[in-house]
Amino acid sequence: MPSDQSTWLIAVPNDGEAEGLSQELHSKLSQQSKFTGLAQVEIPSFKTGTLDSLIALSEDIPKQDIAFTATVAKTVDTLRSLLNNDPAKLAQHILIDEKSVEDYLLKGWKWDEGRYNVQKSLREIVDSLSKDLVSIDNAMKAKLNNYNLVKGSLTQLQRKKLGNLSVRSLADIVSKDDFIEDSDYLETLLVAVPRALAKDWNLKYEKLGTMVVPRSSKLIASDDEFSLFAVVVFKRTHDEFAQGCRENKFILRDFVYSEAEVAKQWEELHTADTTEKELWTELLRLSRTNFSESFKVLVHLKVVRLFVESVLRYGLPANYLGLVIKPDPKVTKKTFNLLQTHFTYLSPRSNRSSTKGNRVEGEEYIGEYQTLMDQEFFDFVLFEVPWIVY
């Protein structure tokens, strides 16, 4: 049974009553179950080719179907990530030619003859679809990788500004006036002191080394966990002072003030932030475009798959009616049972026994076409377009 989280594409032989069949089915569905919509889908008159070529395509297309669906899903995931998983914003970008997915499928879907000439062989058409999707996927990967690199650099720079005073960057906290500069003997050190030990610092800092300038401690900044103090010591006692800090659980910050370095850090952060915003906009625009294009390619592939399976099942002439149904998830089983009942008349024509049947004649060939043998079988052809956009 098909999933209740997908739109169904169905194909049956067109015996000249397409409009009547569609209306009859619509009437039955409306009476017996809730459903979102039903519409006809144009299945072009492709060149059928040989039986072997059709069987080969029937083996290959399901693999491509999976790959195409995964590409569309990745694009949707990228959009979700860019839009912080906001459903309202996502709905504004999950569009095909400025139409919703539902409208694209249910309101007059047509084969794009300009891009995929039906006079070409089915294999050529499938190859063109695959080439287009690979191009879309490669463009997305390149742009996404570029954005992730810049985003990673920005996150790294921003992380330096986060955390408490014992770990975060101090470049934007201290100023030139907090330091003694151009001295051959003295240096200013920065120490992060746990707030609970602030009194201990004031009592002990002059004794943490043998040559600490008296009354040189200066409070620079505080947060919820630490206070940052500047203190002046003789350079030759740096290591001794550092040891004293460690013994008293004071954290000596490894920081040398440089106006050039402060300006450099600010410039790096500003550049990374600006670049990230620009690439975010470009990636969003590309993701929106590529979703539209990749979804169209996916649906075209599924229509080819409908045709191939219909020829294998019903034979020639290759004239089939396509239907698209979006069922209500709450009554999926009821809707499907109605379809099965409605199309029971196709059972004698659907080659059920030859596709799924007993191994009588040609048993030695069954292994070669095992995929055809294993797929779920109904009297009508059905493939699904999963609701990857919800």
Side-chain angles (χ1 to χ4, degrees):
M1 180 172 160
S3 167
D4 62 355
Q5 298 295 311
S6 65
T7 298
W8 304 344
L9 295 180
I10 293 172
V12 296
N14 186 353
D15 297 323
E17 297 293 334
E19 195 64 36
L21 188 151
S22 179
Q23 290 177 358
E24 182 183 358
L25 195 56
H26 190 283
S27 176
K28 287 184 177 181
L29 287 168
S30 299
Q31 292 172 9
Q32 298 190 33
S33 65
K34 299 176 182 178
F35 74 106
T36 305
L38 177 148
Q40 290 188 35
V41 172
E42 174 192 344
I43 300 180
S45 298
F46 298 109
K47 291 184 175 180
T48 55
T50 64
L51 178 60
D52 284 346
S53 68
L54 288 171
I55 291 175
L57 281 169
S58 187
E59 289 276 304
D60 293 343
I61 291 178
K63 302 169 190 173
Q64 291 170 304
D65 195 333
I66 293 171
F68 284 24
T69 302
T71 297
V72 177
K74 283 190 295 184
T75 306
V76 175
D77 286 342
T78 299
L79 282 166
R80 280 200 183 100
S81 176
L82 291 172
L83 299 170
N84 296 319
N85 208 23
D86 185 321
K89 291 181 179 178
L90 185 65
Q92 297 172 11
H93 294 276
I94 301 297
L95 301 171
I96 300 98
D97 294 337
E98 300 306 316
K99 295 187 290 187
S100 69
V101 171
E102 186 173 322
D103 286 351
Y104 173 71
L105 291 171
L106 292 170
K107 294 186 177 180
W109 185 90
K110 290 185 178 180
W111 181 268
D112 189 345
E113 175 69 21
R115 291 179 65 177
Y116 308 110
N117 189 347
V118 296
Q119 297 306 311
K120 293 183 178 181
S121 70
L122 286 169
R123 174 61 69 181
E124 288 177 309
I125 292 173
V126 170
D127 288 345
S128 293
L129 291 167
S130 182
K131 182 180 178 181
D132 284 353
L133 205 73
V134 168
S135 177
I136 290 169
D137 193 33
N138 288 341
M140 275 296 297
K141 285 178 180 176
K143 184 67 72 175
L144 184 59
N145 287 340
N146 194 19
Y147 173 75
N148 285 338
L149 284 173
V150 173
K151 179 70 173 176
S153 298
L154 176 61
T155 301
Q156 212 168 24
L157 291 170
Q158 289 174 332
R159 191 175 291 128
K160 292 179 180 180
K161 298 172 72 69
L162 301 176
N164 58 50
L165 289 167
S166 70
V167 293
R168 63 157 294 169
S169 171
L170 303 178
D172 59 337
I173 291 179
V174 298
S175 67
K176 182 178 180 180
D177 295 338
D178 297 321
F179 293 85
I180 292 177
E181 294 184 301
D182 302 324
S183 172
D184 293 332
Y185 303 102
L186 300 175
E187 64 177 341
T188 302
L189 301 179
L190 299 177
V191 182
V193 177
R195 298 197 66 169
L197 300 179
K199 289 184 178 180
D200 285 355
W201 166 261
N202 290 324
L203 291 172
K204 296 179 178 179
Y205 80 89
E206 292 181 359
K207 303 173 185 176
L208 295 177
T210 55
M211 303 183 76
V212 178
V213 176
R215 299 182 183 180
S216 62
S217 176
K218 173 185 175 184
L219 178 64
I220 303 294
S222 294
D223 59 25
D224 292 339
E225 300 177 65
F226 289 87
S227 294
L228 184 70
F229 291 92
V231 63
V232 180
V233 303
F234 279 78
K235 291 181 178 179
R236 64 180 183 176
T237 63
H238 179 105
D239 293 342
E240 179 188 358
F241 184 83
Q243 179 62 31
C245 286
R246 283 193 293 271
E247 291 174 355
N248 286 273
K249 299 182 180 179
F250 305 143
I251 300 172
L252 180 63
R253 296 299 309 273
D254 183 14
F255 181 85
V256 177
Y257 183 79
S258 165
E259 286 187 323
E261 185 63 28
V262 170
K264 179 184 175 184
Q265 287 188 21
W266 185 89
E267 183 62 30
E268 287 177 347
L269 182 61
H270 176 71
T271 300
D273 185 56
T274 302
T275 305
E276 189 271 341
K277 285 182 172 63
E278 291 173 351
L279 291 179
W280 181 90
T281 302
E282 291 176 13
L283 182 58
L284 181 66
R285 187 184 303 116
L286 182 66
S287 299
R288 178 188 174 109
T289 300
N290 281 359
F291 169 78
S292 176
E293 294 303 310
S294 60
F295 193 86
K296 286 191 285 187
V297 171
L298 174 63
V299 174
H300 277 69
L301 181 75
K302 287 185 180 289
V303 170
V304 173
R305 192 177 179 189
L306 275 179
F307 178 85
V308 170
E309 181 62 26
S310 296
V311 176
L312 291 173
R313 187 172 303 187
Y314 305 118
L316 301 174
N319 183 19
Y320 309 107
L321 169 65
L323 298 169
V324 56
I325 296 176
K326 185 177 181 183
D328 187 311
K330 296 178 182 178
V331 291
T332 300
K333 186 174 182 181
K334 190 174 181 181
T335 301
F336 181 68
N337 288 340
L338 188 150
L339 292 173
Q340 284 190 305
T341 301
H342 185 84
F343 291 116
T344 301
Y345 71 91
L346 292 173
S347 183
R349 302 172 59 183
S350 62
N351 292 321
R352 180 186 293 268
S353 60
S354 64
T355 308
K356 292 281 290 182
N358 298 323
R359 298 187 178 192
V360 182
E361 295 184 16
E363 185 173 353
E364 66 274 16
Y365 299 109
I366 288 177
E368 183 178 355
Y369 306 127
Q370 190 63 47
T371 300
L372 295 179
M373 301 286 295
D374 291 340
Q375 67 187 25
E376 198 170 8
F377 193 95
F378 316 117
D379 289 325
F380 49 92
V381 180
L382 185 150
F383 294 114
E384 302 174 52
V385 181
W387 292 347
I388 51 181
V389 300
Y390 299 111

